Amino acid sequence: GRFKKSHALQHYKGTAHSFCLNLTTLSIWDYCNDTFQHRLFQTRAISGSGGGGDDDNTQQTSGDGGDSGVKPEHHNSNEASNTLQPLDGYSSSYVEAKLENLREYYNTLLMKIIEQQSAEFEQQRKKIEKDNRHKIYARKQVLEECKQQSAQCDKKKDSIELWHKIQELRYANYLKRVEFEQITQKTREHHQELRKLKEKYDKKEQILRQQKTKQKQKVQQEIESALAVMTQHT
C-alpha cells in the first residue's frame, strides 16, 4: 500500500502516472493533488432489524486506488454481520453507465496525458539532440585546436632540432677556428725561428767569408814574398 511498501507511490514518482484506481471500491486517487479525484459509490442494502432511513441502511466506501493507505472504518459487531445484496436493474444500469462514462473520461484523459508526455519527450529528445550536436561541435573544435597545437608543436620541435644542429655546427666551427688560430700561431713561431736561424747562418757565412778572404790574402802575400826572394837570388 501507500503507507507500507509504497509500490504505487514509487510508480508515480518514477513514471508520473498520477491516477490509481481501486478495483474494489472503484475510487480513484490522484497522487499529484494528494486527494480523491472521482469516487464511485456502490449502494449496499443492509439487512437486519436495526436501521432507520436509506441513509442509515446505505454504506458508502471509498479508497485511494489500493495505495492511499486509508483503511476502511471499523464497524460494530451488528454491521460486521451485514451481508451485501445484489443490485437491482436500475442500479446496475446506472453503475454500468457510470463506469462507461468514467472509462471514456479516463481514456480521453490518458490520451491527453500520453500526448502531453509524448510532446514533452519529443521536446526533450530535440533538446538532447541539440545539446549533443553542440557537444559534438565543441569536441570537434577542441580536436581541431589540439590538431593545430600538435602541428605547431611539431614545427617548434623541428625548429628546436634545427637550432640544436646549428649550435653544434657553430661550436664545431669555433673549435676549427681555434685550431686554425693555433696552427697559424705555430706557423708564425716557426717562421720566426727560421728567420733567426737564417740570420745566424748569414752571420756565420759572412764570418767564414771574411776568414777565407784573410787567409787568401795572407797566402797571396806569402806567395809574393817567396817570389820576391827567389827573384833576388837569381
Side-chain angles (χ1 to χ4, degrees):
R2 181 183 182 190
F3 298 102
K4 292 182 180 179
K5 296 184 179 179
S6 303
H7 293 302
L9 181 61
Q10 295 299 326
H11 178 74
Y12 159 68
K13 291 180 179 180
T15 62
H17 296 163
S18 59
F19 296 108
C20 184
L21 176 64
N22 190 329
L23 299 178
T24 303
T25 62
L26 299 180
S27 59
I28 297 170
W29 181 261
D30 184 4
Y31 280 101
C32 183
N33 297 317
D34 199 24
T35 184
F36 287 107
Q37 184 69 21
H38 290 277
R39 297 187 182 185
L40 181 63
F41 297 95
Q42 291 183 352
T43 303
R44 299 182 180 181
I46 302 176
S47 63
S49 59
D54 293 337
D55 293 337
D56 296 332
N57 295 328
T58 304
Q59 180 68 31
Q60 295 179 349
T61 60
S62 62
D64 61 349
D67 293 274
S68 65
V70 179
K71 298 180 179 179
E73 299 178 356
H74 296 285
H75 304 288
N76 53 27
S77 60
N78 292 329
E79 291 176 347
S81 63
N82 294 333
T83 58
L84 296 176
Q85 298 296 328
L87 299 175
D88 56 10
Y90 175 77
S91 298
S92 179
S93 299
Y94 176 76
V95 170
E96 291 179 357
K98 188 71 174 179
L99 289 174
E100 183 65 23
N101 290 333
L102 287 175
R103 186 183 67 79
E104 292 180 359
Y105 172 76
Y106 284 107
N107 284 337
T108 304
L109 183 62
L110 288 174
M111 288 300 297
K112 289 182 180 179
I113 292 174
I114 290 172
E115 291 176 357
Q116 183 179 0
Q117 290 182 348
S118 298
E120 292 177 357
F121 291 155
E122 184 66 20
Q123 290 179 357
Q124 291 180 359
R125 185 185 66 80
K126 291 181 179 179
K127 183 179 179 181
I128 291 172
E129 288 181 353
K130 185 177 179 181
D131 293 340
N132 290 334
R133 286 196 297 270
H134 287 304
K135 289 179 180 179
I136 292 172
Y137 178 74
R139 290 177 180 176
K140 286 183 178 179
Q141 285 185 337
V142 172
L143 182 60
E144 189 66 25
E145 290 177 358
C146 291
K147 288 181 179 179
Q148 292 178 359
Q149 291 178 0
S150 178
Q152 291 178 358
C153 290
D154 292 336
K155 290 181 180 180
K156 289 181 179 179
K157 181 181 177 182
D158 295 337
S159 300
I160 291 171
E161 291 178 353
L162 181 61
W163 183 80
H164 282 299
K165 289 181 179 179
I166 292 173
Q167 293 298 322
E168 290 176 356
L169 291 174
R170 285 181 177 177
Y171 183 71
N173 189 18
Y174 169 75
L175 294 177
K176 292 291 184 182
R177 187 168 61 252
V178 171
E179 184 180 0
F180 177 76
E181 289 177 356
Q182 292 177 354
I183 293 173
T184 303
Q185 184 67 24
K186 288 181 179 180
T187 303
R188 289 175 182 175
E189 292 176 356
H190 290 163
H191 282 305
Q192 289 177 358
E193 290 179 358
L194 288 173
R195 190 181 301 110
K196 289 180 181 180
L197 290 173
K198 185 177 180 181
E199 290 176 355
K200 187 177 180 181
Y201 175 77
D202 290 340
K203 287 181 180 179
K204 287 183 178 181
E205 185 179 4
Q206 186 176 2
I207 291 171
L208 289 173
R209 284 180 181 179
Q210 289 177 357
Q211 289 178 355
K212 286 182 179 180
T213 301
K214 287 179 180 181
Q215 288 178 359
K216 185 178 179 181
Q217 290 176 356
K218 185 177 180 180
V219 170
Q220 186 70 28
Q221 289 177 359
E222 289 178 353
I223 293 171
E224 289 179 356
S225 297
L227 289 174
V229 171
M230 290 175 66
T231 304
Q232 291 178 0
H233 286 292
T234 56

